[in-house]
Amino acid sequence: MVAHKQKVAIIGSGNWGSAIAKIAGFNTARHSDVFEPIVHMYVYEEIVDGRKLTSIINEDHVNTKYLPHAKLPENVVATPSPEEAARDATLLVFVLPHQFILNVCKSLKHALAPDAHAISMIKGVEVADKNISIFPDVIEKALGIPCAALSGANIANEVASGLFSETTVGYRPHQRALAEYYVKLFDTPKFRVGMIEDVAGVSLCGALKNIIAVGAGFVDGLGWGGNAKAAIMRIGLMEMRRFALEFFKDVRPETFTETSAGVADLITTCYGGRNRKCAEAFVKTGKPFNVLEAELLNGQKLQGTETTRDVYEFLQSRGKIEEYPLFKTIYDISFNGLDPKLLTERL
């Protein structure tokens, strides 16, 4: 375990990034023997009501755009530069939309402390040249540092409000000591953090459940009720687990059924969250997802549809798409004009 105090940087400041910053700020102050007192948070600069968002956060201690009801600790300091936020950091928390991670990592490469390590809360996968990667692997490759994963049944507004929630840290073999830092940084009586030696499983649960949430939103838009949604969730969980075990090494099946990252997150995402919300509106309004993202999400990114596309393209390149009928059907409804009423016809 690293002997000196950990300097924490949070790379991202949306709804979930701000919620996790609230916890990290509280815990760095609470565990002053483990962490440096200031948590630097990268904030994409925007003008909100005539003021810079970084100024609002640093002066009023609230992210008025993405998490307006939650007060941030005063030791959370916003900066518009990812490089400056991460300067000499030893513990990085990545909580960006996955579309932005590669460019941000390029700017961080020479800013970090020599013994830096990271944890990813990014929901998505990267697909290129018939290969698929989880974002902890992308971050490790880009920065040359170890990277764990965190995911769970964590609706950001509920976490920020102090309502009880669980989450899961996935760590790599021989890196349990680093994982214990992440538990120390995030665990509170109302935000309980478990651990499992399974970075890929935790990451894939966080990414793939958003595909199933799109399907659940279609069910809601059609008015098909709880039985149909439960069926989509069950079939979805089976496809998620099969996909992870088929294409990634050392995934533990119990991650999908025994941790908050697995079935618990699937349940909460299929009943709440932006992917379900936009998919319901997709059915009811007929508007495309890019329009609904702009109208409904207040600047946040819709991750489920992008992950649906990534997974479809990967499976198609491997000649495997027919083996994952729910993934395929959700893609065809989202992008190929398939009637949502045919959601269950191929299952």
Side-chain angles (χ1 to χ4, degrees):
M1 186 178 289
V2 183
H4 56 74
K5 290 184 181 181
Q6 297 291 295
K7 184 176 182 180
V8 178
I10 297 177
I11 309 302
S13 59
N15 187 242
W16 182 220
S18 297
I20 212 68
K22 180 180 178 182
I23 292 174
F26 171 76
N27 274 345
T28 52
R30 188 162 68 115
H31 301 298
S32 58
D33 59 322
V34 178
F35 301 106
E36 295 288 346
I38 301 299
V39 176
H40 292 276
M41 179 171 68
Y42 163 55
V43 176
Y44 178 76
E45 192 69 280
E46 302 176 69
I47 302 299
V48 180
D49 296 329
R51 299 171 64 194
K52 291 181 178 180
L53 185 55
T54 53
S55 297
I56 294 171
I57 292 171
N58 290 333
E59 294 167 12
D60 302 343
H61 306 293
V62 63
N63 187 334
T64 53
K65 178 161 186 179
Y66 295 110
L67 201 69
H69 70 280
K71 200 78 170 178
L72 297 175
E74 293 187 8
N75 63 327
V76 174
V77 176
T79 173
S81 164
E83 185 175 3
E84 287 308 310
R87 182 74 60 194
D88 298 324
T90 57
L91 195 166
L92 284 89
V93 180
F94 283 91
V95 59
L96 291 166
H98 70 273
Q99 299 94 321
F100 306 130
I101 189 63
L102 286 176
N103 284 336
V104 168
C105 280
K106 288 178 184 177
S107 71
L108 301 182
K109 192 162 182 66
H110 302 294
L112 307 179
D115 54 352
H117 52 101
I119 187 164
S120 170
M121 302 182 183
I122 297 166
K123 307 297 193 293
V125 291
E126 183 187 59
V127 173
D129 301 323
K130 297 185 179 182
N131 292 310
I132 189 167
S133 302
I134 55 171
F135 277 97
D137 290 348
V138 172
I139 292 166
E140 284 202 350
K141 183 177 180 181
L143 296 178
I145 64 175
C147 187
L150 182 146
S151 192
N154 307 141
I155 299 296
N157 291 341
E158 296 178 12
V159 173
S161 296
L163 302 176
F164 181 81
S165 182
E166 296 180 311
T167 200
T168 306
V169 168
Y171 64 94
R172 299 185 189 277
H174 315 301
Q175 292 183 350
R176 184 181 177 93
L178 293 180
E180 289 173 352
Y181 278 124
Y182 310 132
V183 174
K184 185 82 75 172
L185 183 60
F186 299 122
D187 187 76
T188 75
K190 293 295 180 68
F191 190 68
R192 304 297 295 276
V193 183
M195 294 193 298
I196 189 167
E197 189 180 300
D198 187 4
V199 172
V202 169
S203 297
L204 290 165
C205 283
L208 299 177
K209 54 93 178 183
N210 284 333
I211 302 176
I212 311 309
V214 172
F218 292 155
V219 171
D220 288 341
L222 292 163
W224 282 0
N227 294 339
K229 185 185 281 192
I232 293 301
M233 292 164 63
R234 183 195 66 78
I235 295 165
L237 183 63
M238 295 302 102
E239 289 198 10
M240 288 167 56
R241 186 172 65 177
R242 185 162 71 247
F243 182 93
L245 292 171
E246 181 171 2
F247 297 112
F248 288 82
K249 294 180 180 179
D250 302 322
V251 170
R252 296 173 62 168
E254 61 265 33
T255 300
F256 292 81
T257 55
E258 298 178 18
T259 75
S260 182
V263 66
D265 193 16
L266 179 65
I267 292 168
T268 200
T269 306
C270 286
Y271 279 90
R274 69 191 76 162
N275 296 288
R276 188 221 61 81
K277 176 181 179 179
C278 287
E280 180 182 18
F282 177 88
V283 174
K284 289 183 173 180
T285 68
K287 295 178 181 179
F289 277 111
N290 63 321
V291 173
L292 294 168
E293 180 184 74
E295 290 182 353
L296 300 178
L297 297 187
N298 190 36
Q300 296 182 85
K301 293 298 180 182
L302 185 61
Q303 296 168 310
T305 50
E306 289 302 312
T307 305
T308 298
R309 191 200 306 270
D310 288 336
V311 168
Y312 179 91
E313 291 176 353
F314 170 74
L315 288 170
Q316 190 176 48
S317 74
R318 295 293 185 95
K320 294 278 191 173
I321 190 61
E322 299 300 332
E323 297 178 24
Y324 293 84
L326 182 57
F327 287 170
K328 182 177 189 296
T329 300
I330 292 171
Y331 175 87
D332 284 340
I333 294 171
S334 300
F335 296 106
N336 287 340
L338 183 70
D339 188 337
K341 294 178 182 177
L342 300 178
L343 175 64
T344 57
E345 293 297 311
R346 301 167 174 170
L347 306 181

